[in-house]
Amino acid sequence: QSALTQPASVSGSPGQSITISCTGTGSDVGGYNFVSWYQQHPGKAPNLMIYDVSSRPSGVSNRFSGSKSGNTASLTISGLQAEDEADYYCSSYTASNSYVFGTGTKVTVL
Amino acid sequence: QITLKESGPTLVKPTQTLTLTCTFSGFSLSTSGVGVGWIRQPPGKALEWLALIYWDDGKLYSPSLKSRLSITKDTSKNQVVLTMTNIDPVDTATYYCAHRKSTSLSFAYWGQGTLVTVSS
């Protein structure tokens, strides 16, 4: 099972919107609406930001939104803030009855 | 309040077997739909999913590591144990356990992680 493909880095200025892509195959991202996104600050455990493609857990800012088209899922952060600077990982359930994570994206707030 | 905590050795020699324990509170692993998974992260690298055990003792494993992994649960102790055989330096990583919601296939709560170094 190959890791989902994410851009290594994405940057934006405070207040701007950025989008992180997550590309898989029809056996994972494209085949199931079970894509999740996790935020990870340095030295910390990951934190769930989006689940089931576009649902937000309680307590997560509505500046975070998720979507999917075909084999590619996306995470959009609007109104970028300094505290959003972190690594972001997507994840999907797969046809092999397993999970796969993405390669990770470092978000930098300029 | 759901909490999880990983425990186990910090240093393991190559070829040995690694045993990690996840001790949790705030939920029961006998509740329908609930699961506990293990995920690892080598230093400076991406997350990698390893295994998951369900409330009904169903088990899922990473296809690439399946032959080396075993996951079990002790519901009475609120613990999940992961064993990995034939450890190699490439297995050096922070190992996390996480709670899988009954209503979603995502990991909503994570432990703090435990760093395991494989070296002779």
mmCIF file with all atom_site columns, all heavy atoms in Angstrom, chain A residues 83-107:
data_model
loop_
_atom_site.group_PDB
_atom_site.id
_atom_site.type_symbol
_atom_site.label_atom_id
_atom_site.label_alt_id
_atom_site.label_comp_id
_atom_site.label_asym_id
_atom_site.label_entity_id
_atom_site.label_seq_id
_atom_site.pdbx_PDB_ins_code
_atom_site.Cartn_x
_atom_site.Cartn_y
_atom_site.Cartn_z
_atom_site.occupancy
_atom_site.B_iso_or_equiv
_atom_site.pdbx_formal_charge
_atom_site.auth_seq_id
_atom_site.auth_comp_id
_atom_site.auth_asym_id
_atom_site.auth_atom_id
_atom_site.pdbx_PDB_model_num
ATOM 1   N N   . GLU A 1 83  ? -0.963  30.157 14.243 1.00 0.00 ? 83  GLU A N   1
ATOM 2   C CA  . GLU A 1 83  ? -1.094  28.882 14.962 1.00 0.00 ? 83  GLU A CA  1
ATOM 3   C C   . GLU A 1 83  ? -1.386  27.707 14.023 1.00 0.00 ? 83  GLU A C   1
ATOM 4   O O   . GLU A 1 83  ? -1.324  26.557 14.440 1.00 0.00 ? 83  GLU A O   1
ATOM 5   C CB  . GLU A 1 83  ? -2.224  28.986 15.983 1.00 0.00 ? 83  GLU A CB  1
ATOM 6   C CG  . GLU A 1 83  ? -3.615  29.130 15.375 1.00 0.00 ? 83  GLU A CG  1
ATOM 7   C CD  . GLU A 1 83  ? -4.578  29.888 16.269 1.00 0.00 ? 83  GLU A CD  1
ATOM 8   O OE1 . GLU A 1 83  ? -4.206  30.963 16.754 1.00 0.00 ? 83  GLU A OE1 1
ATOM 9   O OE2 . GLU A 1 83  ? -5.695  29.379 16.470 1.00 0.00 ? 83  GLU A OE2 1
ATOM 10  N N   . ASP A 1 84  ? -1.698  28.012 12.764 1.00 0.00 ? 84  ASP A N   1
ATOM 11  C CA  . ASP A 1 84  ? -1.954  26.944 11.798 1.00 0.00 ? 84  ASP A CA  1
ATOM 12  C C   . ASP A 1 84  ? -0.661  26.351 11.246 1.00 0.00 ? 84  ASP A C   1
ATOM 13  O O   . ASP A 1 84  ? -0.696  25.340 10.534 1.00 0.00 ? 84  ASP A O   1
ATOM 14  C CB  . ASP A 1 84  ? -2.792  27.475 10.623 1.00 0.00 ? 84  ASP A CB  1
ATOM 15  C CG  . ASP A 1 84  ? -4.134  28.022 11.060 1.00 0.00 ? 84  ASP A CG  1
ATOM 16  O OD1 . ASP A 1 84  ? -4.665  27.558 12.093 1.00 0.00 ? 84  ASP A OD1 1
ATOM 17  O OD2 . ASP A 1 84  ? -4.653  28.927 10.380 1.00 0.00 ? 84  ASP A OD2 1
ATOM 18  N N   . GLU A 1 85  ? 0.467   26.992 11.545 1.00 0.00 ? 85  GLU A N   1
ATOM 19  C CA  . GLU A 1 85  ? 1.752   26.485 11.062 1.00 0.00 ? 85  GLU A CA  1
ATOM 20  C C   . GLU A 1 85  ? 2.027   25.139 11.738 1.00 0.00 ? 85  GLU A C   1
ATOM 21  O O   . GLU A 1 85  ? 2.167   25.047 12.959 1.00 0.00 ? 85  GLU A O   1
ATOM 22  C CB  . GLU A 1 85  ? 2.868   27.482 11.358 1.00 0.00 ? 85  GLU A CB  1
ATOM 23  C CG  . GLU A 1 85  ? 4.209   27.085 10.752 1.00 0.00 ? 85  GLU A CG  1
ATOM 24  C CD  . GLU A 1 85  ? 5.157   28.268 10.633 1.00 0.00 ? 85  GLU A CD  1
ATOM 25  O OE1 . GLU A 1 85  ? 4.880   29.207 9.864  1.00 0.00 ? 85  GLU A OE1 1
ATOM 26  O OE2 . GLU A 1 85  ? 6.207   28.237 11.323 1.00 0.00 ? 85  GLU A OE2 1
ATOM 27  N N   . ALA A 1 86  ? 2.104   24.090 10.935 1.00 0.00 ? 86  ALA A N   1
ATOM 28  C CA  . ALA A 1 86  ? 2.224   22.720 11.435 1.00 0.00 ? 86  ALA A CA  1
ATOM 29  C C   . ALA A 1 86  ? 2.370   21.779 10.245 1.00 0.00 ? 86  ALA A C   1
ATOM 30  O O   . ALA A 1 86  ? 2.340   22.209 9.091  1.00 0.00 ? 86  ALA A O   1
ATOM 31  C CB  . ALA A 1 86  ? 0.988   22.331 12.249 1.00 0.00 ? 86  ALA A CB  1
ATOM 32  N N   . ASP A 1 87  ? 2.527   20.508 10.540 1.00 0.00 ? 87  ASP A N   1
ATOM 33  C CA  . ASP A 1 87  ? 2.474   19.473 9.511  1.00 0.00 ? 87  ASP A CA  1
ATOM 34  C C   . ASP A 1 87  ? 1.052   18.929 9.436  1.00 0.00 ? 87  ASP A C   1
ATOM 35  O O   . ASP A 1 87  ? 0.374   18.795 10.459 1.00 0.00 ? 87  ASP A O   1
ATOM 36  C CB  . ASP A 1 87  ? 3.439   18.337 9.835  1.00 0.00 ? 87  ASP A CB  1
ATOM 37  C CG  . ASP A 1 87  ? 4.897   18.766 9.770  1.00 0.00 ? 87  ASP A CG  1
ATOM 38  O OD1 . ASP A 1 87  ? 5.227   19.639 8.939  1.00 0.00 ? 87  ASP A OD1 1
ATOM 39  O OD2 . ASP A 1 87  ? 5.708   18.237 10.557 1.00 0.00 ? 87  ASP A OD2 1
ATOM 40  N N   . TYR A 1 88  ? 0.614   18.621 8.222  1.00 0.00 ? 88  TYR A N   1
ATOM 41  C CA  . TYR A 1 88  ? -0.726  18.093 8.015  1.00 0.00 ? 88  TYR A CA  1
ATOM 42  C C   . TYR A 1 88  ? -0.642  16.772 7.252  1.00 0.00 ? 88  TYR A C   1
ATOM 43  O O   . TYR A 1 88  ? 0.106   16.656 6.272  1.00 0.00 ? 88  TYR A O   1
ATOM 44  C CB  . TYR A 1 88  ? -1.588  19.096 7.236  1.00 0.00 ? 88  TYR A CB  1
ATOM 45  C CG  . TYR A 1 88  ? -1.912  20.328 8.047  1.00 0.00 ? 88  TYR A CG  1
ATOM 46  C CD1 . TYR A 1 88  ? -0.988  21.365 8.172  1.00 0.00 ? 88  TYR A CD1 1
ATOM 47  C CD2 . TYR A 1 88  ? -3.126  20.447 8.722  1.00 0.00 ? 88  TYR A CD2 1
ATOM 48  C CE1 . TYR A 1 88  ? -1.266  22.484 8.929  1.00 0.00 ? 88  TYR A CE1 1
ATOM 49  C CE2 . TYR A 1 88  ? -3.412  21.563 9.489  1.00 0.00 ? 88  TYR A CE2 1
ATOM 50  C CZ  . TYR A 1 88  ? -2.480  22.570 9.587  1.00 0.00 ? 88  TYR A CZ  1
ATOM 51  O OH  . TYR A 1 88  ? -2.751  23.684 10.360 1.00 0.00 ? 88  TYR A OH  1
ATOM 52  N N   . TYR A 1 89  ? -1.421  15.801 7.719  1.00 0.00 ? 89  TYR A N   1
ATOM 53  C CA  . TYR A 1 89  ? -1.446  14.485 7.087  1.00 0.00 ? 89  TYR A CA  1
ATOM 54  C C   . TYR A 1 89  ? -2.880  14.099 6.736  1.00 0.00 ? 89  TYR A C   1
ATOM 55  O O   . TYR A 1 89  ? -3.780  14.253 7.565  1.00 0.00 ? 89  TYR A O   1
ATOM 56  C CB  . TYR A 1 89  ? -0.873  13.420 8.028  1.00 0.00 ? 89  TYR A CB  1
ATOM 57  C CG  . TYR A 1 89  ? 0.591   13.583 8.331  1.00 0.00 ? 89  TYR A CG  1
ATOM 58  C CD1 . TYR A 1 89  ? 1.017   14.306 9.440  1.00 0.00 ? 89  TYR A CD1 1
ATOM 59  C CD2 . TYR A 1 89  ? 1.561   13.015 7.512  1.00 0.00 ? 89  TYR A CD2 1
ATOM 60  C CE1 . TYR A 1 89  ? 2.370   14.465 9.726  1.00 0.00 ? 89  TYR A CE1 1
ATOM 61  C CE2 . TYR A 1 89  ? 2.916   13.162 7.788  1.00 0.00 ? 89  TYR A CE2 1
ATOM 62  C CZ  . TYR A 1 89  ? 3.310   13.887 8.893  1.00 0.00 ? 89  TYR A CZ  1
ATOM 63  O OH  . TYR A 1 89  ? 4.647   14.028 9.158  1.00 0.00 ? 89  TYR A OH  1
ATOM 64  N N   . CYS A 1 90  ? -3.058  13.557 5.548  1.00 0.00 ? 90  CYS A N   1
ATOM 65  C CA  . CYS A 1 90  ? -4.340  12.970 5.205  1.00 0.00 ? 90  CYS A CA  1
ATOM 66  C C   . CYS A 1 90  ? -4.252  11.466 5.473  1.00 0.00 ? 90  CYS A C   1
ATOM 67  O O   . CYS A 1 90  ? -3.174  10.902 5.640  1.00 0.00 ? 90  CYS A O   1
ATOM 68  C CB  . CYS A 1 90  ? -4.712  13.229 3.746  1.00 0.00 ? 90  CYS A CB  1
ATOM 69  S SG  . CYS A 1 90  ? -3.556  12.559 2.518  1.00 0.00 ? 90  CYS A SG  1
ATOM 70  N N   . SER A 1 91  ? -5.408  10.839 5.543  1.00 0.00 ? 91  SER A N   1
ATOM 71  C CA  . SER A 1 91  ? -5.473  9.403  5.758  1.00 0.00 ? 91  SER A CA  1
ATOM 72  C C   . SER A 1 91  ? -6.745  8.885  5.114  1.00 0.00 ? 91  SER A C   1
ATOM 73  O O   . SER A 1 91  ? -7.752  9.594  5.040  1.00 0.00 ? 91  SER A O   1
ATOM 74  C CB  . SER A 1 91  ? -5.486  9.087  7.263  1.00 0.00 ? 91  SER A CB  1
ATOM 75  O OG  . SER A 1 91  ? -5.634  7.698  7.483  1.00 0.00 ? 91  SER A OG  1
ATOM 76  N N   . SER A 1 92  ? -6.705  7.647  4.662  1.00 0.00 ? 92  SER A N   1
ATOM 77  C CA  . SER A 1 92  ? -7.879  7.041  4.058  1.00 0.00 ? 92  SER A CA  1
ATOM 78  C C   . SER A 1 92  ? -7.976  5.572  4.430  1.00 0.00 ? 92  SER A C   1
ATOM 79  O O   . SER A 1 92  ? -6.961  4.897  4.619  1.00 0.00 ? 92  SER A O   1
ATOM 80  C CB  . SER A 1 92  ? -7.829  7.174  2.533  1.00 0.00 ? 92  SER A CB  1
ATOM 81  O OG  . SER A 1 92  ? -8.916  6.490  1.914  1.00 0.00 ? 92  SER A OG  1
ATOM 82  N N   . TYR A 1 93  ? -9.195  5.091  4.517  1.00 0.00 ? 93  TYR A N   1
ATOM 83  C CA  . TYR A 1 93  ? -9.433  3.655  4.619  1.00 0.00 ? 93  TYR A CA  1
ATOM 84  C C   . TYR A 1 93  ? -9.189  3.078  3.230  1.00 0.00 ? 93  TYR A C   1
ATOM 85  O O   . TYR A 1 93  ? -9.318  3.776  2.223  1.00 0.00 ? 93  TYR A O   1
ATOM 86  C CB  . TYR A 1 93  ? -10.864 3.389  5.072  1.00 0.00 ? 93  TYR A CB  1
ATOM 87  C CG  . TYR A 1 93  ? -11.146 1.949  5.406  1.00 0.00 ? 93  TYR A CG  1
ATOM 88  C CD1 . TYR A 1 93  ? -10.614 1.376  6.552  1.00 0.00 ? 93  TYR A CD1 1
ATOM 89  C CD2 . TYR A 1 93  ? -11.939 1.161  4.574  1.00 0.00 ? 93  TYR A CD2 1
ATOM 90  C CE1 . TYR A 1 93  ? -10.877 0.054  6.873  1.00 0.00 ? 93  TYR A CE1 1
ATOM 91  C CE2 . TYR A 1 93  ? -12.199 -0.158 4.891  1.00 0.00 ? 93  TYR A CE2 1
ATOM 92  C CZ  . TYR A 1 93  ? -11.665 -0.716 6.037  1.00 0.00 ? 93  TYR A CZ  1
ATOM 93  O OH  . TYR A 1 93  ? -11.915 -2.029 6.336  1.00 0.00 ? 93  TYR A OH  1
ATOM 94  N N   . THR A 1 94  ? -8.811  1.799  3.150  1.00 0.00 ? 94  THR A N   1
ATOM 95  C CA  . THR A 1 94  ? -8.468  1.226  1.851  1.00 0.00 ? 94  THR A CA  1
ATOM 96  C C   . THR A 1 94  ? -9.210  -0.083 1.581  1.00 0.00 ? 94  THR A C   1
ATOM 97  O O   . THR A 1 94  ? -9.747  -0.719 2.492  1.00 0.00 ? 94  THR A O   1
ATOM 98  C CB  . THR A 1 94  ? -6.954  0.940  1.736  1.00 0.00 ? 94  THR A CB  1
ATOM 99  O OG1 . THR A 1 94  ? -6.657  -0.321 2.329  1.00 0.00 ? 94  THR A OG1 1
ATOM 100 C CG2 . THR A 1 94  ? -6.102  2.008  2.399  1.00 0.00 ? 94  THR A CG2 1
ATOM 101 N N   . ALA A 1 95  ? -9.176  -0.479 0.339  1.00 0.00 ? 95  ALA A N   1
ATOM 102 C CA  . ALA A 1 95  ? -9.826  -1.721 -0.073 1.00 0.00 ? 95  ALA A CA  1
ATOM 103 C C   . ALA A 1 95  ? -9.141  -2.952 0.510  1.00 0.00 ? 95  ALA A C   1
ATOM 104 O O   . ALA A 1 95  ? -9.693  -4.048 0.451  1.00 0.00 ? 95  ALA A O   1
ATOM 105 C CB  . ALA A 1 95  ? -9.844  -1.807 -1.596 1.00 0.00 ? 95  ALA A CB  1
ATOM 106 N N   . SER A 1 96  ? -7.966  -2.790 1.051  1.00 0.00 ? 96  SER A N   1
ATOM 107 C CA  . SER A 1 96  ? -7.243  -3.890 1.699  1.00 0.00 ? 96  SER A CA  1
ATOM 108 C C   . SER A 1 96  ? -7.622  -4.026 3.169  1.00 0.00 ? 96  SER A C   1
ATOM 109 O O   . SER A 1 96  ? -6.927  -4.708 3.931  1.00 0.00 ? 96  SER A O   1
ATOM 110 C CB  . SER A 1 96  ? -5.723  -3.652 1.598  1.00 0.00 ? 96  SER A CB  1
ATOM 111 O OG  . SER A 1 96  ? -5.308  -3.512 0.268  1.00 0.00 ? 96  SER A OG  1
ATOM 112 N N   . ASN A 1 97  ? -8.717  -3.333 3.566  1.00 0.00 ? 97  ASN A N   1
ATOM 113 C CA  . ASN A 1 97  ? -9.113  -3.324 4.983  1.00 0.00 ? 97  ASN A CA  1
ATOM 114 C C   . ASN A 1 97  ? -7.967  -2.823 5.847  1.00 0.00 ? 97  ASN A C   1
ATOM 115 O O   . ASN A 1 97  ? -7.595  -3.448 6.860  1.00 0.00 ? 97  ASN A O   1
ATOM 116 C CB  . ASN A 1 97  ? -9.555  -4.716 5.458  1.00 0.00 ? 97  ASN A CB  1
ATOM 117 C CG  . ASN A 1 97  ? -10.921 -5.081 4.921  1.00 0.00 ? 97  ASN A CG  1
ATOM 118 O OD1 . ASN A 1 97  ? -11.771 -4.217 4.708  1.00 0.00 ? 97  ASN A OD1 1
ATOM 119 N ND2 . ASN A 1 97  ? -11.125 -6.360 4.697  1.00 0.00 ? 97  ASN A ND2 1
ATOM 120 N N   . SER A 1 98  ? -7.398  -1.737 5.419  1.00 0.00 ? 98  SER A N   1
ATOM 121 C CA  . SER A 1 98  ? -6.310  -1.117 6.166  1.00 0.00 ? 98  SER A CA  1
ATOM 122 C C   . SER A 1 98  ? -6.446  0.401  6.043  1.00 0.00 ? 98  SER A C   1
ATOM 123 O O   . SER A 1 98  ? -7.398  0.895  5.431  1.00 0.00 ? 98  SER A O   1
ATOM 124 C CB  . SER A 1 98  ? -4.951  -1.572 5.618  1.00 0.00 ? 98  SER A CB  1
ATOM 125 O OG  . SER A 1 98  ? -4.789  -1.164 4.268  1.00 0.00 ? 98  SER A OG  1
ATOM 126 N N   . TYR A 1 99  ? -5.529  1.099  6.652  1.00 0.00 ? 99  TYR A N   1
ATOM 127 C CA  . TYR A 1 99  ? -5.484  2.547  6.549  1.00 0.00 ? 99  TYR A CA  1
ATOM 128 C C   . TYR A 1 99  ? -4.157  2.942  5.883  1.00 0.00 ? 99  TYR A C   1
ATOM 129 O O   . TYR A 1 99  ? -3.172  2.225  5.969  1.00 0.00 ? 99  TYR A O   1
ATOM 130 C CB  . TYR A 1 99  ? -5.525  3.199  7.934  1.00 0.00 ? 99  TYR A CB  1
ATOM 131 C CG  . TYR A 1 99  ? -6.854  3.099  8.652  1.00 0.00 ? 99  TYR A CG  1
ATOM 132 C CD1 . TYR A 1 99  ? -7.240  1.914  9.275  1.00 0.00 ? 99  TYR A CD1 1
ATOM 133 C CD2 . TYR A 1 99  ? -7.721  4.188  8.721  1.00 0.00 ? 99  TYR A CD2 1
ATOM 134 C CE1 . TYR A 1 99  ? -8.454  1.825  9.941  1.00 0.00 ? 99  TYR A CE1 1
ATOM 135 C CE2 . TYR A 1 99  ? -8.928  4.102  9.388  1.00 0.00 ? 99  TYR A CE2 1
ATOM 136 C CZ  . TYR A 1 99  ? -9.288  2.929  9.993  1.00 0.00 ? 99  TYR A CZ  1
ATOM 137 O OH  . TYR A 1 99  ? -10.491 2.841  10.646 1.00 0.00 ? 99  TYR A OH  1
ATOM 138 N N   . VAL A 1 100 ? -4.182  4.084  5.226  1.00 0.00 ? 100 VAL A N   1
ATOM 139 C CA  . VAL A 1 100 ? -2.950  4.610  4.647  1.00 0.00 ? 100 VAL A CA  1
ATOM 140 C C   . VAL A 1 100 ? -2.899  6.110  4.933  1.00 0.00 ? 100 VAL A C   1
ATOM 141 O O   . VAL A 1 100 ? -3.927  6.798  4.873  1.00 0.00 ? 100 VAL A O   1
ATOM 142 C CB  . VAL A 1 100 ? -2.855  4.322  3.138  1.00 0.00 ? 100 VAL A CB  1
ATOM 143 C CG1 . VAL A 1 100 ? -3.995  4.971  2.362  1.00 0.00 ? 100 VAL A CG1 1
ATOM 144 C CG2 . VAL A 1 100 ? -1.494  4.729  2.581  1.00 0.00 ? 100 VAL A CG2 1
ATOM 145 N N   . PHE A 1 101 ? -1.710  6.577  5.299  1.00 0.00 ? 101 PHE A N   1
ATOM 146 C CA  . PHE A 1 101 ? -1.508  8.002  5.543  1.00 0.00 ? 101 PHE A CA  1
ATOM 147 C C   . PHE A 1 101 ? -0.833  8.644  4.334  1.00 0.00 ? 101 PHE A C   1
ATOM 148 O O   . PHE A 1 101 ? -0.234  7.969  3.498  1.00 0.00 ? 101 PHE A O   1
ATOM 149 C CB  . PHE A 1 101 ? -0.636  8.212  6.784  1.00 0.00 ? 101 PHE A CB  1
ATOM 150 C CG  . PHE A 1 101 ? -1.389  8.090  8.070  1.00 0.00 ? 101 PHE A CG  1
ATOM 151 C CD1 . PHE A 1 101 ? -1.466  6.867  8.733  1.00 0.00 ? 101 PHE A CD1 1
ATOM 152 C CD2 . PHE A 1 101 ? -2.034  9.185  8.636  1.00 0.00 ? 101 PHE A CD2 1
ATOM 153 C CE1 . PHE A 1 101 ? -2.164  6.743  9.919  1.00 0.00 ? 101 PHE A CE1 1
ATOM 154 C CE2 . PHE A 1 101 ? -2.730  9.073  9.824  1.00 0.00 ? 101 PHE A CE2 1
ATOM 155 C CZ  . PHE A 1 101 ? -2.805  7.848  10.469 1.00 0.00 ? 101 PHE A CZ  1
ATOM 156 N N   . GLY A 1 102 ? -0.914  9.955  4.296  1.00 0.00 ? 102 GLY A N   1
ATOM 157 C CA  . GLY A 1 102 ? -0.245  10.710 3.256  1.00 0.00 ? 102 GLY A CA  1
ATOM 158 C C   . GLY A 1 102 ? 1.206   10.984 3.606  1.00 0.00 ? 102 GLY A C   1
ATOM 159 O O   . GLY A 1 102 ? 1.663   10.701 4.708  1.00 0.00 ? 102 GLY A O   1
ATOM 160 N N   . THR A 1 103 ? 1.918   11.567 2.658  1.00 0.00 ? 103 THR A N   1
ATOM 161 C CA  . THR A 1 103 ? 3.340   11.853 2.825  1.00 0.00 ? 103 THR A CA  1
ATOM 162 C C   . THR A 1 103 ? 3.594   13.068 3.713  1.00 0.00 ? 103 THR A C   1
ATOM 163 O O   . THR A 1 103 ? 4.718   13.287 4.144  1.00 0.00 ? 103 THR A O   1
ATOM 164 C CB  . THR A 1 103 ? 3.989   12.084 1.459  1.00 0.00 ? 103 THR A CB  1
ATOM 165 O OG1 . THR A 1 103 ? 3.226   13.057 0.719  1.00 0.00 ? 103 THR A OG1 1
ATOM 166 C CG2 . THR A 1 103 ? 4.036   10.775 0.662  1.00 0.00 ? 103 THR A CG2 1
ATOM 167 N N   . GLY A 1 104 ? 2.560   13.824 3.991  1.00 0.00 ? 104 GLY A N   1
ATOM 168 C CA  . GLY A 1 104 ? 2.678   14.961 4.893  1.00 0.00 ? 104 GLY A CA  1
ATOM 169 C C   . GLY A 1 104 ? 2.991   16.270 4.183  1.00 0.00 ? 104 GLY A C   1
ATOM 170 O O   . GLY A 1 104 ? 3.728   16.300 3.197  1.00 0.00 ? 104 GLY A O   1
ATOM 171 N N   . THR A 1 105 ? 2.408   17.346 4.687  1.00 0.00 ? 105 THR A N   1
ATOM 172 C CA  . THR A 1 105 ? 2.621   18.685 4.133  1.00 0.00 ? 105 THR A CA  1
ATOM 173 C C   . THR A 1 105 ? 2.969   19.645 5.252  1.00 0.00 ? 105 THR A C   1
ATOM 174 O O   . THR A 1 105 ? 2.245   19.728 6.247  1.00 0.00 ? 105 THR A O   1
ATOM 175 C CB  . THR A 1 105 ? 1.363   19.193 3.416  1.00 0.00 ? 105 THR A CB  1
ATOM 176 O OG1 . THR A 1 105 ? 1.062   18.334 2.321  1.00 0.00 ? 105 THR A OG1 1
ATOM 177 C CG2 . THR A 1 105 ? 1.574   20.618 2.907  1.00 0.00 ? 105 THR A CG2 1
ATOM 178 N N   . LYS A 1 106 ? 4.062   20.365 5.077  1.00 0.00 ? 106 LYS A N   1
ATOM 179 C CA  . LYS A 1 106 ? 4.448   21.383 6.057  1.00 0.00 ? 106 LYS A CA  1
ATOM 180 C C   . LYS A 1 106 ? 3.822   22.714 5.646  1.00 0.00 ? 106 LYS A C   1
ATOM 181 O O   . LYS A 1 106 ? 4.087   23.230 4.555  1.00 0.00 ? 106 LYS A O   1
ATOM 182 C CB  . LYS A 1 106 ? 5.963   21.523 6.133  1.00 0.00 ? 106 LYS A CB  1
ATOM 183 C CG  . LYS A 1 106 ? 6.434   22.548 7.165  1.00 0.00 ? 106 LYS A CG  1
ATOM 184 C CD  . LYS A 1 106 ? 7.936   22.602 7.248  1.00 0.00 ? 106 LYS A CD  1
ATOM 185 C CE  . LYS A 1 106 ? 8.399   23.649 8.261  1.00 0.00 ? 106 LYS A CE  1
ATOM 186 N NZ  . LYS A 1 106 ? 7.911   23.343 9.627  1.00 0.00 ? 106 LYS A NZ  1
ATOM 187 N N   . VAL A 1 107 ? 2.984   23.251 6.503  1.00 0.00 ? 107 VAL A N   1
ATOM 188 C CA  . VAL A 1 107 ? 2.362   24.550 6.242  1.00 0.00 ? 107 VAL A CA  1
ATOM 189 C C   . VAL A 1 107 ? 3.144   25.639 6.961  1.00 0.00 ? 107 VAL A C   1
ATOM 190 O O   . VAL A 1 107 ? 3.370   25.552 8.174  1.00 0.00 ? 107 VAL A O   1
ATOM 191 C CB  . VAL A 1 107 ? 0.891   24.556 6.696  1.00 0.00 ? 107 VAL A CB  1
ATOM 192 C CG1 . VAL A 1 107 ? 0.328   25.979 6.684  1.00 0.00 ? 107 VAL A CG1 1
ATOM 193 C CG2 . VAL A 1 107 ? 0.068   23.653 5.789  1.00 0.00 ? 107 VAL A CG2 1
#
